Amino acid sequence: MASPLNDPKLEALLDRLHCESDAQIEETDAYYARREKEGTLDEKCSFDDAMHRFFSDKMVALDREKGEFCYQLCRSLRAARVVEAGTSFGVSTLYLAAAVRDNRVENGVVIGTEHEPKKVEIARANFEEAGLSEFIELREGDLCQTLRDVGGPVDFMLVDIWDVALPALERVSPSLRQGAVVVCDNTTVDIAEYSDYFEFVNDPRNRFRTMTLPFAGGFEFSVRI
């Protein structure tokens, strides 16, 4: 299937980054298996210091088909302001920024947030290589602080950070316009991890309609109503 991006330079970069991310899957799976055998994981696989150290150089990139799906969603919404929680090396950010660029909207921006300084450095280099830096505002630090003010109405949000998925959505929720879309990755890998997130998007007071899309690992699709 042809990519909808129609940008050979960007597609070549994404091919390389996806290959690098895929190469880390076996190591990541082995790490979780070892932690589970040791009994050092809680039921929500919450991040401790050891887990933060392990993932400090891991891409954990959004799957290609999910990235292209996000691109098409942002195009259909004519998204001008996009928020991403969990930028890592910036793979998913590239899909989002390409959509904002292709929408040709005034002051279009993708606001990303990443806690690891080394990942921020690598992500910015990837943005520069793709020629998309002008469409991306990457904020470094704790997302509870970096997402306090997103600067205006948000059209689309990608949540790709399981340990603090709910805090990320809670920070941005007041800025979501009616009809805005929020997608959250890997929500069926371990339902317990996302129990509080599901409770939030299913609470009528928070004004969402939500459903789980059948991508690998689950992909929660929620619309602000």
Side-chain angles (χ1 to χ4, degrees), residues 4-216:
L5 302 179
N6 297 317
D7 183 337
K9 178 181 177 181
L10 174 57
E11 289 170 4
L13 173 60
L14 286 168
D15 282 344
R16 174 170 62 81
L17 294 176
H18 278 296
C19 285
E20 291 176 8
S21 181
D22 290 345
Q24 296 176 340
I25 292 175
E26 185 175 348
E27 182 183 0
T28 300
D29 289 345
Y31 174 79
Y32 273 109
R34 178 176 62 79
R35 291 287 303 267
E36 186 172 6
K37 184 177 181 179
E38 294 170 349
T40 56
L41 289 177
D42 64 26
E43 64 176 9
K44 290 190 176 183
C45 296
S46 299
F47 270 52
D48 54 19
D49 289 343
M51 195 173 290
H52 275 293
R53 287 194 297 272
F54 176 80
F55 279 102
S56 64
D57 63 349
K58 303 298 184 296
M59 296 181 71
V60 201
L62 192 72
D63 295 343
R64 180 187 295 274
E65 63 269 24
K66 294 175 183 175
E68 295 194 351
F69 181 64
C70 288
Y71 171 87
Q72 294 192 57
L73 285 173
C74 288
R75 291 302 310 276
S76 68
L77 290 165
R78 286 193 53 78
R81 185 169 300 273
V82 174
V83 174
E84 176 191 50
T87 295
S88 188
F89 285 24
V91 176
S92 51
T93 325
L94 295 173
Y95 289 97
L96 302 174
V100 168
R101 174 199 63 190
D102 295 346
N103 283 340
R104 300 182 184 276
V105 289
E106 186 175 359
N107 299 320
V109 65
V110 178
I111 298 171
T113 181
E114 174 55 51
H115 189 266
E116 292 287 344
K118 185 62 176 178
K119 288 188 174 183
V120 170
E121 179 182 344
I122 294 171
R124 286 182 172 143
N126 288 333
F127 303 157
E128 184 68 26
E129 182 177 344
L132 292 171
S133 296
E134 66 182 289
F135 302 100
I136 303 167
E137 179 187 334
L138 181 55
R139 301 176 179 181
E140 180 180 344
D142 184 338
L143 62 78
C144 290
Q145 300 300 320
T146 59
L147 296 181
R148 282 188 178 275
D149 181 5
V150 292
V154 172
D155 303 298
F156 182 86
M157 181 179 186
L158 168 62
V159 181
D160 191 16
I161 182 164
W162 60 88
D163 194 46
V164 286
L166 178 59
L169 180 56
E170 286 178 323
R171 293 300 184 280
V172 178
S173 184
S175 298
L176 294 170
R177 67 164 175 84
Q178 187 174 18
V181 170
V182 179
V183 292
C184 184
D185 193 24
N186 286 329
T187 52
T188 63
V189 172
D190 187 341
I191 298 297
E193 290 183 27
Y194 292 95
S195 58
D196 53 358
Y197 185 93
F198 283 127
E199 183 177 347
F200 186 86
V201 295
N202 282 290
D203 187 335
R205 295 174 296 181
N206 296 321
R207 298 185 294 118
F208 287 103
R209 291 288 294 178
T210 192
M211 65 187 302
T212 304
L213 302 182
F215 285 98

